[in-house]
Amino acid sequence: MANDVWVYIEHKDGAVTPMSFELLGIGKTLADGLGSGVCAFVVGEKADDIAKEAFAYGASKVFAVEGAEYKGFRADAYSKAATSLLDKYKPAVALFRATSQGTDVAAASAALLGFGLCTDTIGLAVDGGKMKMTRAAFGGNYTVSVVNEKAVPQIATVRPKAFAMPEKDASKSGEVVKEAFSVAEADLNTKVLEFIQSATAVNLVEADIIVAGGRGVGNPEGFQLIKELADLLGGAVGASRAAVDSGWIAYEHQVGQTGKTVKPKIYIACGVSGAIQHLAGMRTSDCIVAINKDPDAPIFKAATFGIVGDYKQVLPKLIEKFKGKLGR
Amino acid sequence: MKIAVCLKQVPDTEAEIKWDIPSGTLKRDGMDSITNPFDEFALEEALLTRENYDGEIVAISMGPEKAADVLRNALALTVNSVQQISDPAFAGSDTYATAYVLAQALKKIGDVDVVFTGKQSTDGNTGVVSAELAAILGWSQLTYVAKVRSIDAAGKKIVVERAIEGGNEVVEAKLPAVVSVIKGINEPRLPNLMGIRKAAKVEIPKWNAGDLGVDTSKVGAAGSCTKVVEIAVPPPRGAGEILKGEIEDIANTLTDKLIDLKVIK
């Protein structure tokens, strides 16, 4: 019990995606190393449907706090409820996805418990009964491993897609433990007024495929071609800082040290030179394709496949071939 | 309105980084240092807030002696006062220890309505000190802020837009609030020559652990519960393959290879 690994299940107004459960996979591996079990924990208006899916993805138990005040996400309400669970059951480890919600709840919960945490981890292993948490530092030029000696639980946020999705088995079930914990509206600091959906709905962090453009794209129109390929492949559009600072594309597309850190399965970099600041944000991608006119561009050193050439000539050919082969 | 802004000195993002192994701290000596790029947006937002609503700005920075430079830069940009937070006991503090010290400083400043911070630092990259600070103080935790819509100091209310996955969330929150801002929220201004000259002469006031009533068993490398156990250079990516030949053939080969990965649905 006390040695269990807990996985926070994030949701948006009760809605989950398979990715909400991804950490149950690594959670199980860690729990095996600790000789314990992997459990899910949820804060929300209603938790039963979410719990059912958590069992299918491998949770042995689900702990939940339910209440009308948890209908939509609010950092203070969710953190207080999550902290009440962690404080009562004292699991060995609590994992959160390194998303906006996961990070908000992990950081505030750790602070309320009086501990530090390790963020955006890309490696997790049990070492001498403690969890060793590895993260990239300084533009991915180094990895740093930390242990949280005194903390119960050891809290980590985990880079999305850093670990494999667990298998789903809908026949599995388990026990749901519901804890009463409520926060009076008057004691809460925040209220969500509305959500403005982004017209382009960029979700780089969740994307399996990213087509990105850099300084070499040359102008805003160049991104049309990049977007065309991204759309064709069901991917998202990324950009280097140079492209964003030139005003060719919005900041929400920026990948790198001062942008987003991503780990897609395929990353196609067009006219991106590969400065360390950009590599910091994408070097752990599974397959990197680099298209650049300059054969000496550093991006080629990180690339799985490289093409020395002008993206304006290469992309239309790729689009044509993909259309033919994929029947689109 | 009383506005605070937290600034961190970080190694120049172009600089070569040296670690002190095994202590796991940065060798900051002899490294070019700058104000954390995200904190420049926080400072600019503080200046804009003062312009829009009136008030005073106090800039604080926790770090070694030489981190006074970032406060000098803030003074050149006309913040009303600065406060350095420095003590050998703070060296090696993890995110919680850092947030705890900053919280003590903000309490000592007193009557703060809004605190601006950058989304994250470019050296530690943790991006959680702001949220921890809000949780410790019990203040509104507003992260990933892309726009401050309004601040009503008298009514103790702030409305912001948070850039989260898929769009912007509009949140109304009570003051005091800790607001961490993202790049693009504004265009940071540069100090003018007169500001720089004036700031050069100012004595930077400093608070140590004793001044802040900080329990030193909870801070620094010894007091932090996260400990660095290993620093490594990640394995290089395997040598890639440069596809050569006519564009037609290259495109044919590459599309086959990518389709074989079974990622494209």
Side-chain angles (χ1 to χ4, degrees), chain B residues 69-112:
Chain B
D69 293 350
V70 304
L71 293 175
R72 234 173 257 293
N73 180 60
L75 279 170
L77 285 165
T78 77
V79 302
N80 300 79
S81 62
V82 297
Q83 192 65 54
Q84 188 174 13
I85 301 159
S86 192
D87 195 306
F90 298 155
S93 290
D94 70 0
T95 57
Y96 176 73
T98 302
Y100 161 59
V101 173
L102 291 173
Q104 290 295 103
L106 289 166
K107 280 192 234 169
K108 190 173 167 85
I109 290 165
D111 300 321
V112 171

Side-chain angles (χ1 to χ4, degrees), chain B residues 10 24 153 161 188:
Chain B
V10 298
E161 288 184 25

